[in-house]
Amino acid sequence: MCRLFGLHAGTAVSATFWLLDAPDSLAEQSRRNPDGTGVGVFDPQGRPVVDKQPIAAWEDAAFAREARELTGTTFLAHVRYASTGAPSATNTHPFLQDGRLFAHNGVVTGLDLLDARLSDLGARGLVAGQTDSERVFALITTSVRTRGGDVDAGLRDAIGWIAENIPVFALNILLCTATDMWALRYPDTHDLFVLDRRRPSRHARFELHSNRIGARSTNLTGAPSVVLATERMDDDPAWRALGDGELVHIGPDLAIDSSTDELPPPRHRLTMADLGETAAASQRVG
């Protein structure tokens, strides 16, 4: 299963990231190799910076185990297990469109219908690779444009169209700009968690770790932040699972807004048994 990590600090801070753990822990996963890793950040000037690489062979994972110290306001990291699209730079998350970074965990099918929709909207040129994720992002981007830049409304429009028209297994999404971050868990197939650290004195030092992604920041031990992740990354009791269909927005001042029950359930909801072998394998990885 792909791993997501999002961090909104409100102001520019420095943080160190690891996108894969040590080789021994990966070996325990039967050497199931990720297909790509990437991290994106909006730097102190508000410019997006993306560092990503496909993993086409076991030895390539060394790139993803290197520590990266980045400085910015919002951060987005992703470890990819491919459901569609070969290991390549164009298929590796995060993606950048219209000054926004995007990463996705899950599977949608009916890509011919989605491609037709994008063509009708004149948005097919936004898609450089073969993934369902980049196509979903292109639909969101086009919907946001139609809504005059209103990301909340564009997200709802795009997910509403997907829910009605194409089969959905999971659509967990992180989307960010230099000042805002959005997270969507849709539906409740995979977990997505939020950690509210806006009162840092109530929390341990900022050193978070899963069996894939790690993050550490001296700055954020004493400064407010909000974290989003596929799994709890420490034993802090403040981690909260997003609900089915919950959309969270974190604003420039780190205000957290959440909405539920505003998105229709998928009309064609897939189960693991409905997925092909490659897609099913991508969703089972621990």
Side-chain angles (χ1 to χ4, degrees):
M1 184 177 72
C2 296
R3 291 293 195 274
L4 297 170
F5 176 88
L7 167 63
H8 194 342
T11 59
V13 299
S14 294
T16 302
F17 292 88
W18 296 262
L19 300 180
L20 288 183
D21 206 343
D24 288 347
S25 71
L26 287 178
E28 293 171 5
Q29 301 287 335
S30 300
R31 296 177 70 88
R32 171 65 166 104
N33 201 41
D35 296 291
T37 61
V39 60
V41 60
F42 281 90
D43 71 14
Q45 289 73 45
R47 298 171 301 199
V49 179
V50 179
D51 185 10
K52 60 183 182 178
Q53 179 169 304
I55 300 176
W58 176 254
E59 293 78 9
D60 294 343
F63 165 87
R65 290 194 293 269
E66 297 174 357
R68 288 166 173 75
E69 183 164 343
L70 303 171
T71 300
T73 54
T74 56
F75 304 78
L76 199 162
H78 185 270
V79 176
R80 178 182 184 235
Y81 291 89
S83 57
T84 57
S88 68
T90 54
N91 289 331
T92 303
H93 305 224
F95 301 104
L96 175 65
Q97 295 177 12
D98 280 10
R100 304 181 193 95
L101 291 172
F102 172 93
H104 162 234
N105 171 20
V107 176
V108 300
T109 61
L111 298 186
D112 54 340
L113 296 175
L114 184 50
D115 284 342
R117 176 65 172 169
L118 292 174
S119 294
D120 289 345
L121 295 171
R124 198 67 182 88
L126 289 170
V127 181
Q130 296 81 46
T131 66
D132 56 344
S133 303
E134 193 181 19
R135 290 172 165 99
V136 169
F137 188 22
L139 183 62
I140 293 169
T141 296
T142 305
S143 298
V144 173
R145 289 175 179 176
T146 301
R147 286 287 195 159
D150 186 331
V151 176
D152 285 86
L155 262 170
R156 290 188 179 92
D157 289 349
I159 302 304
W161 185 91
I162 289 169
E164 179 65 23
N165 292 280
I166 63 175
V168 175
F169 179 73
L171 260 179
N172 285 3
I173 287 169
L174 293 182
L175 174 67
C176 70
T177 66
T179 59
D180 296 78
M181 183 168 286
W182 292 263
L184 174 66
R185 182 188 183 199
Y186 183 84
D188 59 356
T189 310
H190 294 319
D191 288 331
L192 188 60
F193 294 90
V194 59
L195 174 62
D196 181 354
R197 290 183 53 105
R198 290 177 295 176
R199 296 184 179 180
S201 62
R202 298 184 177 184
H203 304 273
R205 63 183 181 177
F206 194 99
E207 188 162 347
L208 306 176
H209 194 271
S210 71
N211 68 343
R212 286 295 178 268
I213 296 173
R216 181 174 65 208
S217 173
T218 302
N219 294 159
L220 290 174
T221 292
S225 61
V226 181
V227 179
L228 294 144
T230 309
E231 57 202 315
R232 294 179 178 90
M233 298 177 70
D234 65 6
D235 58 3
D236 194 323
W239 284 101
R240 178 182 72 82
L242 273 63
D244 184 354
E246 182 174 355
L247 176 62
V248 171
H249 171 235
I250 306 158
D253 59 354
L254 298 186
I256 302 174
D257 295 313
S258 173
S259 60
T260 57
D261 302 323
E262 294 188 18
L263 292 169
R267 184 175 181 182
H268 310 285
R269 182 168 179 176
L270 300 172
T271 67
M272 192 72 81
D274 298 315
L275 302 180
E277 182 179 351
T278 298
S282 75
Q283 301 305 296
R284 290 194 188 103
V285 174

